[in-house]
Amino acid sequence: MNPMQKMRMMLARGILNLVSSATGLQIMQIDLLADETRDDVERVQNYGHSGHPPKGSTVAAVAIGGSRDHMVVVACE
């Protein structure tokens, strides 16, 4: 994948399927592009704020280093 493709794939909007807080971090399963489901995606939350968003919520995710194998959810509505 060339650098421009990596930049285009760096940000994604998706839908929340599952969320777990069992490990102390919120870990999510999200659907992004057609037929692209990502498991074990960490959700970054502000200090002192926590919530458990419902299934079907919209998420904004960032691909660390442009790799879709390492996604982090930075916002959830």
Side-chain angles (χ1 to χ4, degrees):
M1 190 178 299
N2 70 43
M4 287 304 289
Q5 287 173 317
K6 279 188 173 186
M7 286 182 65
R8 283 189 208 110
M9 299 297 285
M10 195 175 284
L11 300 173
R13 183 174 163 176
I15 301 295
L16 174 65
N17 291 327
L18 302 168
V19 61
S20 171
S21 299
T23 63
L25 297 173
Q26 264 195 3
I27 304 298
M28 299 180 157
Q29 180 191 67
I30 57 175
D31 285 336
L32 299 171
L33 298 172
D35 299 324
E36 182 185 15
T37 299
R38 294 290 171 189
D39 296 311
D40 301 324
V41 178
E42 181 182 346
R43 178 183 178 204
V44 177
Q45 296 183 75
N46 292 330
Y47 178 76
H49 297 272
S50 64
H52 202 269
K55 180 180 178 176
S57 297
T58 300
V59 300
V62 175
I64 305 301
S67 170
R68 300 288 272 208
D69 292 328
H70 188 185
M71 301 292 291
V72 176
V73 171
V74 294
C76 189
E77 283 292 329

